[in-house]
Amino acid sequence: MSTLNLGTYAANTWCPGCGNFGILNAVKAALTELNAEGIPMENFVLVCGIGCHGKILDYLNVNSFYSLHGRAVPAAEGIKLANPNVKVIIFSGDGDSYGEGIEHLIFAAKRNIDITMLIHNNRVYGLTTGQYTPTSPLGFKGRSTPAGTKESPLNPLELMLASGATFLARASSRHLDLLKNLIKKAILHKGFSLVDILQVCFTYYNVYEYYDKRVYEMKDHNPGDFNLALNKIKEWDYNSDNPIASGIFYEKQLPTFEERFLK
């Protein structure tokens, strides 16, 4: 399949080795395939928050909107309610949505509004040079915590499951085929979908070797079973050295917010 010309004139300023490159390539491939399968490119709207992830909009020739820090979700919700026919995709970071915008994220899951969240989870504030985020491990040493953090990380997928999300998945930016397929499925899911993408900040938190030894793709997992999903999500708590599952943890069809709101 040929690749759509989704590139732009903008010079890429991500650090060499950044996991964002893998996400960018996977998104381009996913959008190309969805377009070939019948979704016009003008039906996609991309939204981002603030952080290194947000630069991805500079590198994609698709309708897009830059929001404030932690406020990508309400902007996306407004776009979706104004035109329910568009596919709204949010690019957000772990600091952006699991920290600054966590309340908006919880309520988007609770509402089951039909938007897709792609979380660039490098577990560090890379743009501001290395502070800890809600998913940094206990003891993380960064610019704001030179002696190490004193708090355990958040398990965002567990929180999203409890909040009512109807599609939850995890991927690594190193496994492009799986990442592309999960992004496509998340976009096609009718309802709130979130893919937690483990990407590495090569400059401030390089854990490529750690992930290479632990990330695996789930086989024979039933994503329709809430309790199985919860158990699998809790297998790795973003702090332990347990195996790290990737794939779809949970998927369920329920009425969406816009279906109820726009009656």
Side-chain angles (χ1 to χ4, degrees):
M1 177 184 297
S2 62
T3 300
L4 280 178
N5 181 20
L6 297 176
T8 69
Y9 62 86
N12 196 306
T13 59
W14 286 328
C15 300
C18 177
N20 282 324
F21 288 102
I23 298 174
L24 175 62
N25 289 331
V27 168
K28 282 183 176 179
L31 293 180
T32 298
E33 290 188 6
L34 289 171
N35 177 253
E37 292 166 12
I39 303 178
M41 287 308 301
E42 58 266 29
N43 280 22
F44 293 101
V45 179
L46 313 182
V47 181
C48 76
I50 298 297
C52 292
H53 73 272
K55 297 177 183 177
I56 198 168
L57 298 194
D58 294 341
Y59 313 139
L60 288 167
N61 186 21
V62 183
N63 295 321
S64 57
F65 182 88
Y66 286 88
S67 76
L68 300 174
H69 199 192
R71 303 297 180 262
V73 170
E77 288 179 325
I79 292 169
K80 185 66 181 182
L81 291 177
N83 186 352
N85 294 320
V86 297
K87 297 284 187 184
V88 184
I89 305 167
I90 300 175
F91 298 90
S92 186
D94 45 313
D96 189 54
S97 275
Y98 295 158
E100 299 281 344
I102 187 67
E103 180 182 350
H104 297 300
L105 192 63
I106 289 171
F107 273 79
K110 174 178 174 290
R111 292 167 179 146
N112 193 34
I113 189 165
D114 185 19
I115 59 178
T116 296
M117 298 283 309
L118 303 180
I119 305 292
H120 299 226
N121 189 356
N122 58 14
R123 306 169 72 197
V124 68
Y125 281 99
L127 189 64
T128 51
T129 69
Q131 296 80 18
Y132 78 101
T133 75
T135 55
S136 300
L138 178 67
F140 175 87
K141 293 183 179 180
R143 290 291 181 92
S144 59
T145 53
T149 62
K150 308 301 180 186
E151 57 187 272
S152 297
L154 178 75
N155 185 335
L157 293 176
E158 184 177 358
L159 177 63
M160 287 296 94
L161 184 67
S163 300
T166 53
F167 183 102
L168 290 171
R170 182 192 290 134
S172 161
S173 63
R174 296 267 268 191
H175 303 123
L176 292 187
D177 284 342
L178 177 60
L179 177 57
K180 177 205 67 177
N181 290 333
L182 290 177
I183 290 172
K184 282 185 64 180
K185 289 176 181 177
I187 293 171
L188 292 173
H189 174 75
K190 190 177 180 182
F192 180 83
S193 58
L194 184 147
V195 183
D196 186 57
I197 306 172
L198 298 177
Q199 60 130 135
V200 167
C201 176
F202 191 77
T203 303
Y204 295 108
Y205 192 44
N206 183 355
V207 283
Y208 274 124
E209 183 177 354
Y210 179 88
Y211 287 151
D212 285 346
K213 291 179 178 177
R214 291 169 179 78
V215 174
Y216 73 96
E217 182 179 353
M218 289 185 285
K219 303 292 184 184
D220 302 321
H221 172 70
N222 177 10
D225 189 312
F226 183 94
N227 291 322
L228 283 178
L230 178 60
N231 289 337
K232 186 57 72 174
I233 284 172
K234 293 173 71 173
E235 184 177 80
W236 180 62
D237 62 1
Y238 293 72
N239 196 57
S240 71
D241 289 331
N242 289 343
I244 303 171
S246 62
I248 301 173
F249 292 98
Y250 187 65
E251 185 172 14
K252 187 173 184 177
Q253 294 297 325
L254 288 174
T256 64
F257 181 68
E258 61 273 20
E259 289 174 336
R260 293 167 169 159
F261 186 84
L262 299 173
K263 274 186 177 178

